[in-house]
Amino acid sequence: MSKPSRAATKLVPMTQEPQNTPSDTPGDAAAAQQQPGLSGNDAVNLAAEQSKNTAHRNIPPLDLGELPVPDDTANLRHGPNIHDGLLALLPLVGVWRGEGKADTEEDGRYSFGQQIIFAHDGENYLTYESRIWKLDEEGQPVGPDQRESGFWRISLSDEIEFVCTHSTGVAEIFYGEPVNERAWQVESASCMVTSTGPSRLGSGKRLYGLMPNNDLGWVDERLVDGELKPRMSAQLKRVAG
């Protein structure tokens, strides 16, 4: 399996016009100071205003009795302190929801809704969970689609490791690095497909990044006949964290 180029992908989700976002975190504000045209004061003020709607929200714990370990938290204001080794990934922590576009060999072109949760429990990794549901031509949900779960880690030399399993029967290992304080690119170094999975899924790369309005955008590209082509992308708002 040939490996895709490490050239940075331009973060342009296949969704329509960007929408205003209602949220941010202190980590986002600090990183936002690096954005051209966005001053440090503007970034802090934007984060403070947006966090009014999300600062009190978090993923709920399971109501099954306490475990002898901390609950996952998707809110940096609650739960254990985030591990120092994860500071380069800190702006990702939260619950994100929005819409995207897909163009796959299995299902063709369609629109979808998505929720992504990046959470932690104080250890040196982020948990990752993605749920997708298909949308009809009017933008109404018509049923569940694929899911993903996994873990993100980053080394002292800023090498990202992303282990991801798909409900469609795929297990992948991605490696990459931060593009800057607000964007992270990873490439699939290993892609295994089960006998019932998408047999023609090629290796590829993903770019996750905070956009100027602090939405989380992501793009997944895959090798098709030796050429990287967009497969899925979305633009998500922070709803918790």
Side-chain angles (χ1 to χ4, degrees):
M1 179 179 295
S2 57
K3 186 175 180 180
S5 167
R6 293 190 64 86
T9 303
K10 186 177 181 181
L11 186 62
V12 183
M14 300 185 320
T15 49
Q16 302 301 316
E17 297 180 1
Q19 302 173 353
N20 293 329
T21 181
S23 55
D24 207 341
T25 69
D28 295 336
Q33 297 181 36
Q34 307 299 322
Q35 284 289 331
L38 188 65
S39 71
N41 288 336
D42 288 342
V44 171
N45 292 336
L46 177 62
E49 181 63 28
Q50 294 176 334
S51 67
K52 292 178 181 178
N53 296 321
T54 64
H56 62 287
R57 295 177 176 171
N58 200 3
I59 53 176
L62 291 176
D63 189 18
L64 298 174
E66 293 186 1
L67 292 174
V69 291
D71 287 325
D72 286 347
T73 178
N75 190 322
L76 296 171
R77 302 166 184 83
H78 303 288
N81 292 331
I82 193 168
H83 194 283
D84 288 345
L86 297 175
L87 295 181
L89 302 176
L90 179 149
L92 289 169
V93 176
V95 181
W96 307 83
R97 291 179 185 169
E99 297 182 1
K101 299 286 187 180
D103 186 359
T104 70
E105 292 186 353
E106 302 82 32
D107 298 314
R109 295 185 179 182
Y110 63 94
S111 300
F112 62 85
Q114 183 182 31
Q115 174 178 277
I116 290 179
I117 300 176
F118 285 99
H120 76 96
D121 62 2
E123 293 299 308
N124 196 12
Y125 54 82
L126 294 182
T127 62
Y128 163 85
E129 180 181 351
S130 165
R131 300 192 69 172
I132 288 177
W133 51 95
K134 289 185 176 180
L135 303 175
D136 62 19
E137 294 181 355
E138 286 72 43
Q140 298 300 311
V142 293
D145 195 30
Q146 58 186 284
R147 301 177 65 166
E148 295 179 349
S149 62
F151 300 91
W152 284 61
R153 300 192 299 167
I154 186 167
S155 71
L156 294 176
S157 60
D158 279 348
E159 182 178 53
I160 297 170
E161 300 176 357
F162 174 27
V163 179
C164 183
T165 58
H166 307 237
S167 60
T168 55
V170 179
E172 289 189 271
I173 298 176
F174 293 86
Y175 289 102
E177 58 191 14
V179 177
N180 54 44
E181 294 88 348
R182 293 169 60 91
W184 306 264
Q185 182 171 282
V186 292
E187 302 177 10
S188 58
S190 174
C191 181
M192 299 183 65
V193 181
T194 67
S195 60
T196 59
S199 60
R200 300 187 65 185
L201 180 68
S203 62
K205 66 181 179 181
R206 291 188 183 184
L207 180 67
Y208 294 80
L210 296 180
M211 307 177 80
N213 62 356
N214 289 324
D215 283 1
L216 176 66
W218 69 272
V219 178
D220 180 280
E221 293 184 327
R222 296 287 166 167
L223 278 175
V224 179
D225 298 327
E227 181 181 356
L228 277 171
K229 295 184 178 181
R231 185 173 186 270
M232 302 185 79
S233 67
Q235 183 171 337
L236 315 174
K237 302 178 184 299
R238 189 191 301 275
V239 298

